[in-house]
Amino acid sequence: MGESNGVVVRRPEHRPATWAMGSLFEHLVTADESDGRVGVSLVTQPPGVATPLHRHTHEAEAFLVLEGRVSYRAGEETYELDDGCFIYLPQSVPHAFRIRGTSPARFVAFTAPGGLMGLYDEVGIPAAERRLPGEDGQPPEVELPKWAEVGPRYGLEVVGPGIPE
């Protein structure tokens, strides 16, 4: 809920939420609410979720891992992140990640400028509840073609394969 002075306060039960990538994305502040400056989301992703090597030509990203294990490739280096770890990715740096272990990872994702979470909203579906999607989620064969179609508008460029299992 926004205030007329630009302050945004989000209680857990009022966060706009999207299911994409078999994951839950809860918006904390959107680009529209921050005059385009930032986008911040709380992300919950199950073990095994992985991205291809990609880059964002429009924004820098940062992640604060609250809980879980994440292998994160940034440029030529791969980092093993867990509870409390932070990573900042400058604009256009190729990166990929894979959620490790047996429990979901939860992290706060930041983008500057904001706007990237609009991509997840376009390819995903509104979350029926604030939990990981199950059978009520969108099947990959429906979602994956949307990434190829919508991603370029958001400056998303796939540049290589992901991190192996």
Side-chain angles (χ1 to χ4, degrees), residues 109-122:
F110 307 84
T111 64
L116 183 61
M117 283 300 147
L119 169 60
Y120 295 85
D121 292 340
E122 280 195 53

Side-chain angles (χ1 to χ4, degrees), residues 19 131 133-139:
W19 284 337
R131 59 167 169 79
E135 292 297 316
D136 50 357
Q138 185 172 221

Side-chain angles (χ1 to χ4, degrees), residues 12 15 24 26 41-46 63-70 82-85 99 103-109 130 132:
R15 295 178 190 143
L24 173 66
E26 299 176 76
S41 294
L42 175 62
V43 182
T44 305
Q45 296 194 295
F63 301 91
L64 173 62
V65 179
L66 302 175
E67 58 188 31
R69 292 179 39 225
V70 184
D82 56 18
D83 302 12
C85 290
I99 307 300
S103 58
R106 295 185 74 210
F107 53 90
V108 180
R130 282 163 190 80
L132 290 173

